[in-house]
Amino acid sequence: MQRQYSNNQKILLVGEGDFSFSLSLARSFGSARNLTATSLDTREEVERKYMNGKASVEELERLGCNVVHGVNVHSMTNDFRLFGRYDRRIIYNFPHSGFGFRQEHEGYYITLHQALVKGFLKSAREMVKEEGGEIHVTHKTTHPYSEWKIETLAEDEGLFLMRQMEFNISKFPGYSNKKGSGNCCDASFPIGKSSTFMLKRNY
């Protein structure tokens, strides 16, 4: 497990697919009492779309995780189920608007993806702890994904890049990234060269 996460941190995870990343953290910690794992999908959608979705959610709940469904990253600051949380880490892995698969090089779809990330960053900035809090976005760094300009989007929302760390999926046993939409929603996609962008608030 990469050392940027620990069981002593209150961690909010958004945009989970089959919840395998959250479960990887929980298993490594031996507990999920400080984890809140969320998905845009409803619980029923998670169970229908992902072969391991139901089992992952149930194991997380047994380990003490607060699992919340139907969370929109653009409006999560107004979600009463998340009120009062000022998390040490807010994590969004491989954000994608759900449109333009295999067309990510087209400007129109890049704009859609950027809007998703920008809305997330705006919300996360309001929710992350001022002291020691970090927002983590894991994203591909090769073209055309580099055109999303994660660092620029962060700067526009009053955040700065503290560190960029190469993402090594083998450090998170059991994690399987998912497409999340379409007929192959439960399929993984090649992540290639990817990094975790670690962002902090400007004051």
Side-chain angles (χ1 to χ4, degrees):
M1 183 61 57
Q2 296 196 22
R3 296 177 61 186
Q4 69 262 35
Y5 306 123
S6 79
N7 195 35
N8 296 322
Q9 299 165 336
K10 292 181 70 175
I11 299 175
L12 172 64
L13 302 106
V14 305
E16 286 287 270
D18 68 349
F19 287 85
S20 58
F21 186 82
S22 298
L23 187 56
S24 178
L25 292 184
R27 286 173 173 171
S28 73
F29 298 159
S31 166
R33 59 185 174 82
N34 279 333
L35 295 183
T36 293
T38 74
S39 66
L40 178 61
D41 293 324
T42 65
R43 190 176 187 120
E44 292 74 20
E45 287 171 332
V46 169
E47 294 179 1
R48 174 175 54 82
K49 290 169 63 175
Y50 304 108
M51 181 175 63
N52 295 321
K54 184 176 188 293
S56 294
V57 168
E58 290 176 349
E59 184 174 348
L60 279 167
E61 290 175 334
R62 286 196 299 271
L63 290 168
C65 183
N66 178 31
V67 179
V68 185
H69 300 284
V71 173
N72 186 318
V73 297
H74 284 199
S75 58
M76 63 184 180
T77 54
N78 298 318
D79 193 321
F80 72 92
R81 298 168 297 175
L82 303 178
F83 279 180
R85 295 196 58 82
Y86 295 92
D87 298 83
R88 286 287 180 179
R89 300 288 184 271
I90 300 180
I91 302 170
Y92 197 174
N93 291 324
F94 301 105
H96 195 283
S97 68
F99 300 101
F101 285 108
R102 300 184 183 277
Q103 296 173 294
E104 281 89 352
H105 61 284
E106 295 185 11
Y108 171 73
Y109 293 110
I110 290 173
T111 300
L112 289 182
H113 300 318
Q114 287 179 317
L116 170 65
V117 175
K118 190 175 179 68
F120 160 70
L121 294 174
K122 182 177 182 178
S123 296
R125 188 186 186 282
E126 294 185 33
M127 300 175 72
V128 75
K129 273 187 175 292
E130 293 186 10
E131 294 294 330
E134 298 176 15
I135 299 165
H136 291 187
V137 178
T138 298
H139 181 58
K140 295 183 181 184
T141 53
T142 54
H143 185 81
Y145 305 96
S146 56
E147 295 304 307
W148 295 23
K149 307 292 186 186
I150 299 295
E151 186 174 357
T152 300
L153 296 178
E155 291 172 353
D156 290 345
E157 296 303 326
L159 302 164
F160 71 93
L161 180 65
M162 181 189 70
R163 185 181 180 190
Q164 182 175 333
M165 177 183 288
E166 182 179 355
F167 181 76
N168 184 348
I169 196 170
S170 68
K171 299 293 185 181
F172 301 95
Y175 172 46
S176 178
N177 56 301
K178 299 297 183 182
K179 289 186 175 180
S181 61
N183 294 330
C184 299
C185 55
D186 198 23
S188 295
F189 55 87
I191 62 172
K193 292 188 66 175
S194 300
S195 290
T196 299
F197 294 79
M198 302 176 181
L199 310 166
K200 298 191 76 170
R201 289 176 50 155
N202 280 321
Y203 300 108

